[in-house]
Amino acid sequence: MLPTDVPLSHLGPSALLLLQLLLPPTSAFFPNIWSLLAAPSSITHQDLTEEAALNVTLQLFLEQPPPSRPPLRLKDFLDFYSHSNWVELGKQQPHPHLLWPRQELGNLAQVGDHTCFDCHELSCPGNLLGSTLLTSGYFGTHPSKPPGKCSHGGHFDRSSSQPPRGGINKDSTSPGFSPHHMLHLQAAKLALLASIQAFSLLRSRLGDRGFSRLLDISPASSLSFVLDTTGSMGEEINAAKIQARRIVEQRQGSPMEPAHYVLVPFHDPGFGPVFTTSDPDSFWQQLNEIHALGGGDEPEMCLSALELALLHTPPLSDIFVFTDASPKDAFLTSRVESLAQERRCRVTFLVTEDPARGQRRARREVLSPLRFEPYEVVARASGGEVIFTKDQHIQDVAAIVGDSMADLVTLPLEPPVVVPGRPLVFSVDGLLQRVTVRIHGEVSSFWIRNPEGVSQGQEEGQGPLGHTRRFGQFWIVTMNDPPQTGTWEIWVTAKGNPRVRVQAESSLDFLFFFGVPMEDGPHPGLYPLTHPVAGLQTQLLVEVTGLGSRADPGHRLPNFSHVLFRGIPEGAELGRVPLEPKGPRERGLLAAALPPTLLAAAGSFSLELIGQDGGGRGLRRAAPQACAVVPVLLELSGPPGILAPGSKAPLSLLIVSFSGPQDLDLTTSVNSGFVLTSNLSRVRLEQNESAWGRLWLDVPDSAAPDSVVTVTVSATGREASPVAPTYAFLRLLVLAPAPDQLAAAAHSPGRILTTASPASRPSPLVTRGRAGGGLAGNPWWGTLGGVLLLLGLASW
């Protein structure tokens, strides 16, 4: 099954099928991180993919230089060349039929054909029989290796100790991992040629623009608006129209031009439909057709509309919500919060409603003064903000917020929240420009002081440090360039809980990921996690971006040495651990183990990187999004075949508790028109217990090909053991299979998409004592270990 991060409706069926071939759940050669440690001279799947992409996209780079982007992270699909005997057969070119699913490979060794001699050494250069048949190696003990068959080989392959011993893999240059290590470079050369062929084919099918988006040569950002369309929203809708037109005109034809446009209206009781397009003119036309009509009372279905927008917006995008009402669907808060974190989308609410004053809307009920708290929760989790303003300011505020769609870094504050009588301290380094301070709340006064002691208050206009603008309860101070490097202070006097944020433009930033170390299986590395799980050893992987632009000969590169974790919202320090470089420093890849105190229980946290610039001065960056330790591991996996209209697809669900007893209710949801059933609605787990469940997704005959369906599963603690909800999201693509594929499926003895009746549904499986507190080095390689391998162990 092809997970989807961006809508693919503009791709043809042949291109989609080709993408499925290029992006499977396993990969050839060593994963990048493992090879840096175990076999440093090996060519990795990342190396091959990057070089192939570079060959194919060289002309695109020359025609349109891209902005600074993180290194390419496409999986290499060509395990054929490192795991088969194609190289040993003397082949000098890629297999001519490998990319085409309807072509037979031909000349394949059959079950009874012996293919290998016994080899008791680490290096096995002559262990293949003198046959011209195409073969590969068995791995592990299930299924068992037939007599005379080759093994994959290497330290982790249990089948390699059974005669004929040894193996034939060429994954690395190390004989301990690859018995045919001496042919690694030849296999890598063929894999590179095959990769170039595949990327060239993709470019010809997708066109230059689509190919650029696919490889992240130009950022696939989205312009997404969620609009309240009730009768009191005339000014807000006009502001959204002006802001959309401003962004489109400013960025049209540039690398920052949005690749995707999303519009979701809402009122009460309805929301949607979602409008998506890649054409700015179509988006503008649709936006112009929206007018404020009817309604006018409070609350509204805002979070339902926001969830719809998140499901149709590419990752790492901005979403703007315009409303003057609180949410009627506040029960969706935790689900929308989790989805925003999973998609890493920044959500900004522009609310023309002051919760401290009287309302202009009619009320159906007495509303709590805390009714806007769901917006605060989602904004805080996504790295966005909630801005309360007035009708006369909405256009100016929307323009300011829209400008923040540019690549900005967040500077950490100490302390991270306003404490009476204490300043907020932040550091400015020499890599920053256009520093802005944003303050929101019932502020009576504030002033900012630079490292030289020069101060500026809240008076509007130009001051000694920068320019101040005020829009109701929202202040923004833009510092003069170049900003003074060193330690700055912000003093705030206010009622309630004012919010302060400091941002700046800089090429130096970072991305971060979480993973679980896996040292078993054919490709050891990290299994990626959306969130850390309480009680489970977890690695933080940091990728520093923008180092290439700082690499001046004779000058030291900036470096980050530690990561600091803070609780949310109080800001208490939860741990500080060193960052360990992985590979050359210019690659910017760092890793750290999350501290046990952070993983002891579920909860939200933020992370900050601490280091030095090339001149030895302090350097700090903060992740704009909040993170969360979830109470249980919840994983959804889909079938590997095509999800076609009229089919019934089995999905697998895995739940694991590493931290203690959990009594959970499980609920599911899916797109309207699809039917989802499950054999598991409640589970009780003790520490280190896992449970399996099965879901069935009925795809209606009317489902449109190339449409995306999203399956959501939530695990919520019962009253006896309340825990924060955990969510799993699975996006699947509906494709219309080719006629010959339908015919093949009809005659296949083991169809991928089954039509299981309720009577054939398996019972929930609870496995006790199999899930250890950490994956690395633990001999528990059973149910959970197997499923983690199947779900994407080799993605690194």
Side-chain angles (χ1 to χ4, degrees):
M1 186 54 56
L2 177 65
T4 58
D5 279 334
V6 294
L8 298 174
S9 56
H10 63 286
L11 304 183
S14 59
L16 291 169
L17 186 59
L18 183 58
L19 280 174
Q20 282 191 293
L21 292 171
L22 291 176
L23 303 175
T26 58
S27 55
F29 303 94
F30 260 24
N32 189 54
I33 295 175
W34 184 258
S35 70
L36 292 173
L37 302 176
S41 60
S42 301
I43 297 175
T44 70
H45 63 78
Q46 178 183 328
D47 297 328
L48 290 169
T49 312
E50 286 180 345
E51 188 167 349
L54 192 60
N55 275 273
V56 178
T57 61
L58 178 60
Q59 190 60 38
L60 284 175
F61 273 95
L62 294 175
E63 295 170 357
Q64 180 179 326
S68 176
R69 303 295 295 171
L72 190 63
R73 283 289 182 267
L74 294 178
K75 301 174 185 177
D76 180 36
F77 66 101
L78 298 175
D79 54 349
F80 175 83
Y81 298 100
S82 65
H83 294 174
S84 76
N85 66 332
W86 182 258
V87 173
E88 288 85 346
L89 290 175
K91 304 297 184 180
Q92 301 296 318
Q93 293 296 323
H95 197 294
H97 299 155
L98 197 61
L99 279 176
W100 306 105
R102 298 177 182 87
Q103 296 286 340
E104 294 289 338
L105 293 184
N107 204 34
L108 300 178
Q110 303 302 308
V111 174
D113 295 327
H114 289 210
T115 53
C116 267
F117 289 115
D118 187 62
C119 173
H120 58 85
E121 304 289 342
L122 291 178
S123 183
C124 300
N127 63 332
L128 277 165
L129 295 174
S131 171
T132 60
L133 299 177
L134 187 61
T135 188
S136 61
Y138 280 76
F139 183 89
T141 57
H142 300 287
S144 59
K145 182 175 69 174
K149 287 294 186 182
C150 299
S151 290
H152 177 87
H155 175 71
F156 301 105
D157 180 14
R158 297 180 183 178
S159 76
S160 63
S161 61
Q162 304 169 6
R165 293 169 293 178
I168 64 170
N169 92 72
K170 297 164 282 294
D171 287 340
S172 74
T173 56
S174 169
F177 299 104
S178 301
H180 281 201
H181 60 95
M182 72 295 297
L183 299 175
H184 171 75
L185 295 180
Q186 291 175 246
K189 179 181 178 180
L190 286 181
L192 174 61
L193 291 175
S195 299
I196 293 173
Q197 291 178 0
F199 281 117
S200 298
L201 181 60
L202 269 176
R203 183 183 179 186
S204 68
R205 296 293 176 89
L206 301 179
D208 287 351
R209 179 179 173 87
F211 188 72
S212 298
R213 298 300 190 196
L214 176 68
L215 297 189
D216 209 19
I217 295 170
S218 52
S221 61
S222 171
L223 178 60
S224 298
F225 284 95
V226 179
L227 285 179
D228 186 342
T229 59
T230 47
S232 57
M233 284 292 295
E235 288 293 334
E236 290 84 347
I237 292 174
N238 288 334
K241 292 177 181 179
I242 293 172
Q243 184 57 25
R245 173 62 75 180
R246 172 190 171 99
I247 294 174
V248 170
E249 291 178 349
Q250 282 184 343
R251 303 189 178 187
Q252 194 165 15
S254 75
M256 292 300 295
E257 180 181 0
H260 194 61
Y261 300 86
V262 178
L263 178 62
V264 185
F266 71 93
H267 47 86
D268 181 42
F271 60 93
V274 61
F275 175 78
T276 63
T277 182
S278 58
D279 179 19
D281 293 329
S282 297
F283 174 73
W284 178 246
Q285 180 180 354
Q286 185 71 22
L287 188 60
N288 267 337
E289 294 176 359
I290 290 182
H291 300 282
L293 298 172
D297 51 6
E298 185 184 8
E300 306 291 350
M301 301 293 286
C302 180
L303 294 185
S304 297
L306 176 55
E307 181 180 36
L308 196 58
L310 282 164
L311 292 173
H312 289 82
T313 297
L316 301 172
S317 295
D318 278 273
I319 299 177
F320 299 102
V321 182
F322 289 80
T323 185
D324 64 353
S326 56
K328 183 178 183 179
D329 44 9
F331 62 90
L332 291 176
T333 301
S334 60
R335 189 163 89 188
V336 173
E337 174 190 12
S338 182
L339 183 58
Q341 288 182 320
E342 192 259 354
R343 304 295 285 164
R344 295 202 177 187
C345 287
R346 179 171 54 185
V347 182
T348 298
F349 295 85
L350 296 170
V351 185
T352 48
E353 172 70 278
D354 186 346
R357 61 177 170 83
Q359 315 294 307
R360 60 182 175 178
R361 281 179 176 253
R363 304 266 187 84
R364 285 186 293 267
E365 57 189 77
V366 176
L367 299 176
S368 166
L370 300 177
R371 62 193 180 279
F372 293 100
E373 182 61 23
Y375 298 163
E376 300 282 0
V377 171
V378 174
R380 185 166 55 239
S382 68
E385 55 191 323
V386 182
I387 299 177
F388 292 97
T389 186
K390 299 179 180 180
D391 283 347
Q392 63 264 37
H393 297 146
I394 185 65
Q395 293 186 14
D396 292 325
V397 172
I400 292 170
V401 174
D403 289 341
S404 70
M405 285 183 63
D407 289 334
L408 299 178
V409 299
T410 301
L411 305 184
L413 296 170
E414 174 61 44
V417 294
V418 174
V419 177
R422 288 184 59 186
L424 300 172
V425 177
F426 66 96
S427 296
V428 171
D429 57 74
L431 306 180
L432 301 175
Q433 58 183 356
R434 195 173 168 77
V435 177
T436 60
V437 177
R438 297 153 74 117
I439 303 174
H440 187 273
E442 296 185 63
V443 177
S444 56
S445 67
F446 72 85
W447 54 275
I448 304 170
R449 186 169 64 188
N450 75 0
E452 294 181 344
V454 179
S455 299
Q456 177 172 321
Q458 75 270 21
E459 295 79 14
E460 292 188 74
Q462 184 64 43
L465 300 181
H467 188 267
T468 301
R469 287 175 289 175
R470 178 185 180 182
F471 306 98
Q473 294 188 352
F474 177 61
W475 280 265
I476 180 167
V477 184
T478 303
M479 301 303 173
N480 300 327
D481 274 333
Q484 178 71 39
T485 59
T487 301
W488 290 60
E489 294 181 351
I490 306 173
W491 293 81
V492 179
T493 303
K495 296 180 180 179
N497 299 305
R499 297 181 298 276
V500 180
R501 172 175 295 187
V502 181
Q503 294 178 304
E505 293 181 4
S506 176
S507 61
L508 188 71
D509 201 2
F510 70 97
L511 302 171
F512 65 94
F513 313 89
F514 299 107
V516 180
M518 304 291 290
E519 294 183 356
D520 292 317
H523 291 290
L526 291 178
Y527 169 71
L529 296 175
T530 303
H531 300 285
V533 181
L536 177 63
Q537 284 183 15
T538 304
Q539 289 282 322
L540 169 69
L541 200 66
V542 173
E543 187 172 25
V544 181
T545 61
L547 281 175
S549 61
R550 321 306 317 174
D552 299 324
H555 290 77
R556 290 170 47 192
L557 287 172
N559 73 91
F560 291 106
S561 58
H562 289 78
V563 58
L564 174 65
F565 303 94
R566 294 186 183 275
I568 293 178
E570 296 81 7
E573 185 171 328
L574 301 177
R576 183 189 300 241
V577 295
L579 287 164
E580 179 184 354
K582 298 295 182 183
R585 282 195 176 274
E586 60 269 18
R587 202 161 201 172
L589 196 62
L590 309 168
L594 297 188
T597 52
L598 182 69
L599 298 170
S604 298
F605 66 94
S606 64
L607 59 88
E608 305 170 8
L609 299 191
I610 303 171
Q612 294 182 330
D613 63 16
R617 295 177 293 270
L619 188 64
R620 297 176 76 108
R621 296 288 188 270
Q625 305 93 355
C627 308
V629 176
V630 295
V632 293
L633 176 69
L634 190 65
E635 292 286 354
L636 262 177
S637 59
I642 291 176
L643 193 67
S647 65
K648 187 166 188 173
L651 312 177
S652 296
L653 175 66
L654 172 70
I655 313 129
V656 189
S657 172
F658 296 96
S659 58
Q662 304 284 358
D663 194 4
L664 305 169
D665 284 326
L666 303 175
T667 58
T668 62
S669 63
V670 71
N671 300 39
S672 176
F674 292 75
V675 177
L676 185 66
T677 55
S678 172
N679 69 339
L680 193 61
S681 61
R682 181 181 177 183
V683 64
R684 178 171 178 80
L685 299 173
E686 299 297 328
Q687 185 173 3
N688 295 336
E689 279 190 353
S690 60
W692 283 89
R694 179 61 65 92
L695 294 82
W696 287 264
L697 176 63
D698 287 282
V699 184
D701 294 330
S702 59
D706 302 347
S707 61
V708 176
V709 56
T710 301
V711 178
T712 303
V713 176
S714 64
T716 307
R718 299 176 66 86
E719 293 183 4
S721 60
V723 296
T726 303
Y727 295 90
F729 304 96
L730 181 65
R731 279 169 293 277
L732 304 173
L733 185 66
V734 178
L735 288 176
D740 55 343
Q741 290 175 311
L742 288 174
H747 295 88
S748 172
R751 296 182 63 184
I752 294 174
L753 301 182
T754 66
T755 54
S757 64
S760 67
R761 296 176 182 175
S763 300
L765 172 65
V766 176
T767 306
R768 304 183 184 278
R770 301 297 297 277
L775 304 188
N778 288 341
W780 63 282
W781 192 225
T783 301
L784 178 60
V787 77
L788 292 184
L789 176 63
L790 293 174
L791 289 176
L793 165 64
S795 63
W796 292 96

